[in-house]
Amino acid sequence: MPPSPNKITKLEVFRVPPRWLFVRVETELGIVGWGEGTLEGHTEAIEGAYQDLAERFVGWDAEQIQDIWQHAYRSRFYRGGPVLMSALSGLDIALWDIKGKRYGVPVWQLLGGKVRDRVKVYVWVGGDKPADVLDDAAERRAQGFTAVKMNATDAVAWIDSPTLLQDTVERVRQVKSLGLDVGIDFHGRLHKGMTKQLAKALEPMTPLFIEEPLLPTQTEEIADLAKIVSTPIALGERLYSRHDFRPYFERRAIDIAQPDVAHCGGISELHRIASYAETYDVALAPHCPLGPIALAACMQVDISAPNFVIQEMSLQMHYNEGADLLTYLADPTVFAVKNGYVEALDGPGLGIEVNETLIREAAAKHVDEKAWRNAVWKGDDGGLREW
C-alpha cells in the first residue's frame, strides 16, 4: 500500500552566525526536517522568499518532493536565479530529511544506494587575500586533510602586472611541497587576458583544478581556455539549475561541475546535475563553503553519484566568525576527517542531528543584526574590481 500522506504543518527560518540560513519543516506526523537555503550576502531576500514558500506549501504532502519541487520552480511565471533557487534548495533538503527519517534510512538509500563508503574532502587555506598559506596548509595536513583550496589572487585589474601572478605560483609551490593537492580558486576575479597567463603559469605545478577562471557569464571564453590548458577546469557555484550547466557541458568547457546544494535546487537538482554531468564525462565536486546541513545534503549525493571526486567543507574557514561548521551539531564526530576522507553518513535522513536549542538561541540573538555582506573591492584608480 502507498504511504499515508504526511502534511507539512510548519516552516520556520533561522538566520544564524556566521552567515547561514537554516530551514525547519515540521509535519503532521511530528517529523522534523532541516534544510539550508543560505545565499551569502542576500539573506533578507531569501527570508522573503520563504514567506512565499510557506504560504504555498504548508498543507501539502511532504512525501511528494518532486511535485512540490516542480510547483515551486514552474508554477510562477518567473523562475530560476539565485534567490528563488536558494529558497527552494532549503525546502527540498528538509523534505528529503523528512522522508529519510520516516522510513529510517539515509537519503542516499532513497537515491539508489551508495557507490562508495567514504567521501574525499578538501578545506580552505588562506583567506580572501591570500598571503602566508604555508602554515595554514601544514595545520590542515595535521588535521588529516590531503587536499586544500586557496584563492588565486587579491583584487586584479582587467589587465595588470604579470608579476602579481608569480606570487600565486610560489604559493602553490609551497603548499604542494607539503604533499598536499591544491585547488586554485580564481573566484571570477581575473579577466581573460590575466586568466590565460595565470592558467598557463600554474600548469607545470599540476594543481588539482582551477575554479571559476572567469565569470560564469563567459561560457565561450572558458571553453576556449579549456582548449589551451590541461589543468581541470571547475565551476558551478553561480549556476542554479541543470539548465544553467547545459552550455558548459555542450561546449566541453569544464571538467568538474561544482553545483552548490544550497543554491541549485537542493538534493533533487544536485542529483540530476550529477547524472547530467556524467553524460559528458564531467566529474562532480559540490561547492559548499556553508553550514553542516548543506554539507550533509551534499554528502548524500556524493555517496550515491559515480562521478563524484571531492567535497568542499568549511571547517575553520575564514568566513566562519561567530560559529563554525561543527557548532550546531549534536554530534560533531560525523564529519571527522581521516586520511582525507569523511565516512558515509549512516543515520536516517541527512544523517546528522542539529542542536535545535542552540540554533534558536543564536537566531534570537542575531535577528536584528545586519546580515553578512561580502567585501567591495576597488583598485588604486577607484574603479570597482571583482571580489
Side-chain angles (χ1 to χ4, degrees):
M1 293 181 62
S4 59
N6 183 23
K7 291 183 180 180
I8 298 169
T9 57
K10 185 186 295 185
L11 187 155
E12 298 176 273
V13 179
F14 302 93
R15 184 199 300 187
V16 296
R19 54 177 190 164
W20 303 332
L21 202 66
F22 294 162
V23 186
R24 182 186 184 275
V25 177
E26 188 172 344
T27 70
E28 62 182 344
L29 297 181
I31 303 173
V32 172
W34 288 88
E36 185 168 346
T38 302
L39 182 62
E40 312 93 288
H42 299 278
T43 300
E44 298 89 342
I46 305 301
E47 289 169 337
Y50 275 121
Q51 292 179 14
D52 175 59
L53 290 177
E55 291 173 5
R56 294 165 68 184
F57 295 113
V58 167
W60 284 52
D61 182 5
E63 287 287 316
Q64 307 306 321
I65 298 174
Q66 179 71 272
D67 195 33
I68 290 173
W69 198 99
Q70 292 294 329
H71 277 81
Y73 181 75
R74 294 172 51 209
S75 66
R76 297 280 174 83
F77 184 73
Y78 295 100
R79 62 186 66 175
V83 173
L84 298 180
M85 294 305 289
S86 296
L88 172 54
S89 296
L91 174 60
D92 180 84
I93 293 167
L95 293 177
W96 280 105
D97 192 28
I98 288 167
K99 185 179 282 283
K101 288 173 177 175
R102 182 174 188 184
Y103 297 105
V105 297
V107 170
W108 52 257
Q109 283 284 22
L110 302 174
L111 298 177
K114 64 181 178 179
V115 297
R116 57 184 51 83
D117 297 321
R118 58 196 59 87
V119 170
K120 189 174 179 64
V121 293
Y122 71 86
V123 73
W124 274 83
V125 295
D128 269 343
K129 299 182 177 183
D132 299 324
V133 297
L134 190 58
D135 289 344
D136 276 1
E139 181 180 350
R140 295 307 200 174
R141 194 172 189 276
Q143 290 172 339
F145 292 95
T146 59
V148 297
K149 183 168 78 176
M150 64 183 183
N151 277 313
T153 64
D154 196 338
V156 176
W158 217 283
I159 297 292
D160 215 324
S161 171
T163 59
L164 295 174
L165 308 181
Q166 294 308 310
D167 292 338
T168 304
V169 175
E170 175 57 20
R171 286 191 293 270
V172 174
R173 186 198 66 76
Q174 291 177 1
V175 173
K176 286 185 69 72
S177 73
L178 299 176
L180 293 167
D181 285 321
V182 56
I184 312 299
D185 191 354
F186 286 38
H187 216 250
R189 291 174 180 172
L190 284 77
H191 295 275
K192 184 172 64 173
M194 298 300 290
T195 285
K196 289 192 296 182
Q197 294 180 69
L198 183 54
K200 293 293 283 185
L202 288 171
E203 195 170 14
M205 305 299 296
T206 61
L208 192 61
F209 55 80
I210 56 174
E211 180 175 331
E212 275 200 328
L214 294 167
L215 290 167
T217 51
Q218 308 307 122
T219 312
E220 298 291 345
E221 290 76 15
I222 294 171
D224 290 342
L225 181 67
K227 294 181 176 69
I228 64 173
V229 296
S230 61
T231 307
I233 294 176
L235 60 74
E237 68 192 83
R238 289 189 271 189
L239 304 179
Y240 309 110
S241 71
R242 60 195 182 279
H243 309 293
D244 290 350
F245 276 92
R246 178 179 177 180
Y248 290 95
F249 293 158
E250 293 184 346
R251 289 164 175 77
R252 282 54 169 177
I254 60 173
D255 304 286
I256 302 172
Q258 294 178 308
D260 189 309
V261 74
H263 304 332
C264 76
I267 290 172
S268 295
E269 189 73 349
L270 178 60
H271 188 241
R272 289 189 282 260
I273 292 168
S275 296
Y276 189 22
E278 186 186 2
T279 306
Y280 289 88
D281 199 25
V282 171
L284 177 74
H287 180 261
C288 193
L290 302 176
I293 299 171
L295 177 58
C298 286
M299 288 182 63
Q300 302 303 320
V301 178
D302 300 342
I303 291 162
S304 62
N307 55 330
F308 166 77
V309 290
I310 197 165
Q311 175 63 56
E312 179 177 23
M313 61 190 303
S314 72
L315 184 69
Q316 298 173 359
M317 191 180 183
H318 48 283
Y319 299 130
N320 290 358
E321 298 180 0
D324 198 17
L325 177 66
L326 309 179
T327 300
Y328 300 107
L329 290 176
D331 178 12
T333 64
V334 294
F335 292 144
V337 179
K338 183 178 180 181
N339 298 324
Y341 290 87
V342 173
E343 293 296 318
L345 300 171
D346 288 327
L350 293 179
I352 63 171
E353 181 183 352
V354 300
N355 184 335
E356 181 173 333
T357 299
L358 182 58
I359 290 171
R360 289 186 180 276
E361 289 174 353
K365 289 178 182 177
H366 292 85
V367 67
D368 294 322
E369 292 189 9
K370 185 177 180 180
W372 184 88
R373 299 286 190 265
N374 65 258
V376 177
W377 286 356
K378 294 191 176 184
D380 293 337
D381 61 357
L384 183 65
R385 295 201 178 165
E386 296 293 341
W387 171 70

